[in-house]
């Protein structure tokens, strides 16, 4: 029996409806619904009556409630004793991230956490967002950094916003600070051959009624930047993916901004160790690590 499902059951009973329980548990309402459905399917009985009044325990649900509280309380007592013994003087946090976030966002977060909790092991794996999702599903990692939104099987928090920028080779004439769609239409582009980024760029162009001339589709962002530097075309990349930008490559914003949201993701309905929860606080800028908010320049990796 999944203790997290029992915790969700208790929360629904306490708050009287799924939406308020989800809000207080900091998970999605659909995650609450899935947890209750899974628990009822496992037990073979209906624990809650749903209606306009909200959600109330059935007769058997009311009888199960007493034992559910005992189980959850016993689990909390065990965790309390363990935490008293070891605090954060041990444990492990396993992270997976796509490359540009792993390169530019995670190192200062990991350094800050490791300085405070040197006995906690932190591991980092780089993969594309699809691979990060799969690692989360299979329990190979605790936290994933991915572009948002993701499917509802994950609980996510926004941690940064990354602007798509235009990279242009050197030109004899100085470029205007603000580009127009007409000026962009004179260039052939080297696109990032990664489905989510490529789709975002193509959809953005279509939304504004523009045609996009594509010369190459390249898998590695560093190769794209190098090709731009050699005058082989222009490119549109998230700024973090473009860094470091070599001398001579000119950077401009799009006529209409396009931004990708980077988030931390965990699998829904999973109980995490104190070390993992504390590292999530680091990523979200909450808890003991709360402080001055990052400026947009810091969040976008600008220098």
């Amino acid at each position: 029996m999944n203790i997290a499902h029992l915790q969700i059951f208790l929360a629904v009973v306490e708050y009287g409806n799924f939406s308020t329980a989800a809000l207080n548990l900091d998970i999605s309402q659909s995650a609450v619904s899935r947890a209750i459905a899974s628990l009822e399917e496992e037990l073979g009985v209906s624990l809650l009556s749903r209606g306009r009044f909200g959600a109330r325990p059935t007769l058997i649900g009311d009888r199960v409630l007493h034992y559910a509280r005992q189980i959850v309380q016993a689990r909390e007592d065990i965790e309390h004793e363990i935490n008293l013994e070891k605090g954060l003087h041990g444990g492990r946090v396993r992270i997976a991230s796509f490359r540009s976030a792993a390169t530019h966002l995670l190192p200062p977060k990991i350094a800050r956490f490791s300085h405070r909790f040197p006995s906690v092991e932190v591991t980092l794996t780089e993969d594309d967002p699809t691979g990060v999702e799969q690692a989360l599903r299979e329990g190979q990692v605790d936290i994933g950094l991915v572009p948002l939104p993701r499917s509802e099987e994950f609980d996510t928090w926004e941690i940064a916003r990354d602007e798509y920028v235009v990279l242009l080779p050197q030109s004899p004439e100085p470029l205007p600070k603000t580009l127009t769609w007409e000026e962009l239409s004179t260039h052939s582009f080297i696109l990032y051959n990664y489905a989510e980024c490529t789709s975002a760029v193509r959809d953005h162009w279509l939304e504004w009624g523009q045609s996009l001339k594509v010369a190459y589709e390249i898998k590695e962002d560093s190769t794209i930047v190098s090709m731009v530097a050699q005058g082989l075309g222009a490119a549109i990349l998230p700024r973090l993916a473009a860094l470091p930008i070599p001398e001579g490559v000119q950077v401009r914003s799009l006529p209409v901004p396009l931004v990708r949201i980077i988030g931390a993701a965990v699998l829904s309905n999973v109980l995490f160790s104190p070390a993992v929860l504390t590292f999530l606080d680091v990523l979200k800028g909450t808890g003991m690590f709360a402080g001055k908010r990052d400026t947009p320049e810091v969040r976008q990796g600008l220098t």
Side-chain angles (χ1 to χ4, degrees), residues 2 4-5 8 26-32 34-35 136-137 142 151-157 265-272:
N2 190 318
H5 292 175
I8 292 170
D26 197 21
I27 61 176
S28 66
Q29 186 171 334
S30 61
V32 171
R34 289 196 302 270
L136 286 167
R137 290 190 193 98
D142 306 301
S151 67
E152 291 188 353
E153 66 189 301
F154 301 104
D155 293 327
T156 60
W157 298 267
V266 298
L267 199 61
S268 296
N269 303 328
V270 173
L271 295 174
F272 295 106

Side-chain angles (χ1 to χ4, degrees), residues 93-116:
V93 180
R94 302 167 300 167
I95 310 162
S97 173
F98 61 98
R99 189 204 64 81
S100 56
T103 301
H104 300 291
L105 295 181
L106 278 173
K109 303 286 188 181
I110 293 173
R112 189 177 184 187
F113 179 86
S114 296
H115 178 74
R116 178 68 176 83

Side-chain angles (χ1 to χ4, degrees), residues 181 184-187 189 205-206 208-214:
W181 290 115
L184 286 178
S185 67
T186 65
H187 294 275
F189 285 90
W205 248 250
L206 286 174
W208 294 97
Q210 305 299 316
S211 59
L212 182 65
K213 292 190 293 186
V214 179

Side-chain angles (χ1 to χ4, degrees), residues 11-12 14-27 29 32:
V12 173
E14 178 181 355
Y15 296 109
N17 60 69
F18 283 39
S19 58
T20 306
L23 183 64
N24 282 273
L25 291 170
D26 197 21
I27 61 176
Q29 186 171 334
V32 171

